[in-house]
Amino acid sequence: MTDSRNLQIDGSRLWDSLMEMAKIGATEKGGCCRLALTDLDKEGRDLFVSWCREAGCDIKVDKMGNIFARRPGKNNDLDPVMTGSHLDTQPTGGRFDGVYGVLAGLEVVRTLNDLNLETERPVEVAVWTNEEGSRFAPAMVASGVFAGAFDLEYGLSRADADGKTMGEELERIGYAGTEEVGGRDIHAFFETHIEQGPILEADEKTIGVVTDAQGQRWYELTLTGVESHAGPTPMSRRKDALLGAARVVDLVNKIGLDNAPLACSTVGMLNVHPNSRNVIPGRVFMTIDFRHPNDDVLAGMDKALRQGIDRIAGEIGLEQAIEQIFYYAPIHFDDGCIEAVHEGTKGCGYTMRDMVSGAGHDACYMSRVAPTSMIFVPCIDGISHNEVEDAKPEWITAGANVLLRAMLTKAGQAA
């Protein structure tokens, strides 16, 4: 059996791999732009696959383009222990969001190789397609298909702003795999990620043990008024769709504050038509994002939103059409996986705290089909989804060390 004191990943190797991947789609401000299923995403996938093959892994790709790199175990009939995240980014994304969880998994495989350590169960590293949802909505669609939240036809038919579907783009870049999506047993799943918030750094804790994830509701709202000349139309006769949208933005913010401290509410997108300086806007499309770890509270936020929109539209004389396009309930992760993370953190001697994830992650869908938990590490100033996103090498190393121990606990060390 390997001495637990030797269970350390190569932090310099992991950091170098992160920086090498960050060159693909590098932006002027030090971030990354690798939108899902673009040529740059293909380049990042190809690099990951080449590294995994060098590490002795078998590679399989399913029909949603999800990649699975497997390191065999002593008994390959046993269900695997899996880790992973995503390689796609926001348009102005950082170097760590998603990719850290993928390459931390690869580093676990490399470390097991270095130690000549055989596990009882196979170990797999997954890359999930289109986690961000920046190019194709909704987010996490491919892990959602894997977990049975969406069917395959729905996933492949998601289209970008130019009408290109995920299925078409998977074919174009060569990642339309032949494996069926999901339908197989997984012994445990772990996802390592930067926190994307300020709590760990502020509390001077190295590891966040993620016990729960917030539920989410995403909406698309269209407000329709009457386009009219900005000069001759009296204020009292206007049906200004942008005025309605402004009041909805304020409503959304108020709903979040009314359900503090755990609620989050955001308007992330506004498209104004006709977007001309001397025309009263006749139509506004907008998106709304609600999050809370209590499903009853989330339902109350939904009710307040719909009632408020009805009132606002009625006061101005607007037509409104709202659609909830994405929902998943709050999640409590598996107690056994949480304990494996706790014990791994203690074994490494790192400080830690239990946390609720405020962001959506592929692990949220994976929790439907496998015992699951997450490992958070700090990010500087809590900034993510931003080109200046950053993390200290020692934090990156720490998270991967905990991942190694947690995965080994679940995969078992062969005698």
Side-chain angles (χ1 to χ4, degrees):
M1 302 290 283
T2 299
D3 190 326
S4 64
R5 291 172 295 183
N6 295 328
L7 289 176
Q8 300 283 326
I9 63 97
D10 185 334
S12 295
R13 180 172 58 192
L14 173 55
W15 186 265
D16 288 346
S17 296
L18 284 162
M19 296 306 103
E20 186 67 24
M21 184 67 75
K23 294 177 183 177
I24 302 173
T27 62
E28 291 183 1
K29 296 180 181 179
C32 285
C33 179
R34 285 192 307 269
L35 296 183
L37 308 187
T38 58
D39 291 344
L40 289 171
D41 187 25
K42 169 183 167 51
E43 190 176 344
R45 286 164 171 260
D46 289 348
L47 179 59
F48 169 74
V49 168
S50 70
W51 283 340
C52 289
R53 286 189 170 133
E54 289 172 4
C57 293
D58 298 323
I59 306 295
K60 290 185 177 180
V61 182
D62 71 20
K63 293 178 180 179
M64 282 301 301
N66 298 316
I67 305 169
F68 303 97
R70 173 179 282 219
R71 182 182 192 264
K74 182 177 181 180
N75 186 347
N76 290 308
D77 292 330
L78 294 175
D79 300 332
V81 174
M82 185 183 290
T83 187
S85 193
H86 60 97
L87 292 174
D88 66 307
T89 74
Q90 291 286 331
T92 52
R95 299 173 295 168
F96 302 96
D97 177 1
V99 63
Y100 169 49
V102 172
L103 296 185
L106 173 60
E107 181 55 36
V108 166
V109 169
R110 288 168 165 171
T111 299
L112 294 175
N113 291 344
D114 292 344
L115 297 174
N116 197 26
L117 196 159
E118 185 179 31
T119 54
E120 285 286 346
R121 296 176 178 274
V123 168
E124 289 192 18
V125 184
V127 174
W128 304 107
T129 301
N130 188 57
E131 190 273 351
E132 292 291 1
S134 296
R135 185 180 178 194
F136 305 97
M140 304 174 293
V141 66
S143 57
V145 175
F146 187 94
F150 312 115
D151 62 34
L152 178 61
E153 181 181 359
Y154 175 87
L156 294 177
S157 67
R158 297 306 87 201
D160 67 7
D162 296 322
K164 297 176 182 178
T165 68
M166 289 187 68
E168 292 166 346
E169 290 295 88
L170 282 167
E171 289 282 357
R172 186 185 68 80
I173 69 168
Y175 276 90
T178 58
E179 296 290 314
E180 295 301 320
V181 187
R184 62 189 180 97
D185 293 329
I186 298 165
H187 186 64
F189 180 84
F190 296 94
E191 183 170 359
T192 310
H193 212 281
I194 58 170
E195 180 195 347
Q196 301 184 287
I199 296 171
L200 287 173
E201 186 180 30
D203 283 3
E204 297 183 343
K205 298 292 193 295
T206 301
I207 298 294
V209 183
V210 184
T211 60
D212 299 83
Q214 288 187 323
Q216 295 188 38
R217 293 178 185 255
W218 285 11
Y219 306 86
E220 293 181 345
L221 170 65
T222 301
L223 297 172
T224 305
V226 176
E227 296 165 31
S228 188
H229 198 298
T233 309
M235 298 299 292
S236 61
R237 301 290 297 272
R238 298 183 177 204
K239 296 183 178 180
D240 186 338
L242 184 55
L243 174 62
R247 292 180 181 176
V248 171
V249 172
D250 187 58
L251 168 69
V252 168
N253 188 67
K254 182 177 185 302
I255 290 171
L257 292 173
D258 286 346
N259 291 278
L262 297 179
C264 292
S265 58
T266 305
V267 173
M269 182 187 297
L270 284 172
N271 292 334
V272 181
H273 179 82
N275 206 31
S276 175
R277 70 181 65 227
N278 63 344
V279 179
I280 298 164
R283 185 175 69 253
V284 175
F285 169 86
M286 60 196 301
T287 63
I288 299 163
D289 180 323
F290 280 167
R291 306 184 187 214
H292 199 280
N294 184 306
D295 207 28
D296 290 339
V297 175
L298 201 58
M301 295 168 69
D302 174 87
K303 182 178 180 180
L305 175 68
R306 294 177 186 274
Q307 289 178 343
I309 290 172
D310 282 342
R311 173 181 52 79
I312 290 166
E315 290 171 350
I316 302 174
L318 306 175
E319 296 178 5
Q320 63 95 355
I322 186 170
E323 179 184 3
Q324 180 179 286
I325 66 162
F326 177 62
Y327 165 76
Y328 67 75
I331 293 162
H332 178 69
F333 287 121
D334 177 74
D335 288 336
C337 289
I338 292 169
E339 182 59 21
V341 177
H342 277 144
E343 291 303 313
T345 307
K346 291 175 186 175
C348 292
Y350 300 131
T351 56
M352 64 179 160
R353 60 164 290 165
D354 288 355
M355 301 190 71
V356 174
S357 172
H361 298 283
D362 293 304
C364 296
Y365 278 133
M366 289 304 295
S367 70
R368 297 186 177 199
V369 294
T372 297
S373 187
M374 296 190 69
I375 301 162
F376 277 176
V377 299
C379 52
I380 293 173
D381 296 329
I383 295 174
S384 183
H385 284 195
N386 188 313
E387 292 167 272
V388 302
E389 170 189 281
D390 203 1
K392 295 180 180 179
E394 57 264 35
W395 297 339
I396 295 299
T397 298
N401 277 331
V402 174
L403 176 66
L404 170 63
R405 289 172 179 252
M407 292 188 72
L408 193 54
T409 294
K410 290 296 185 179
Q413 185 171 340

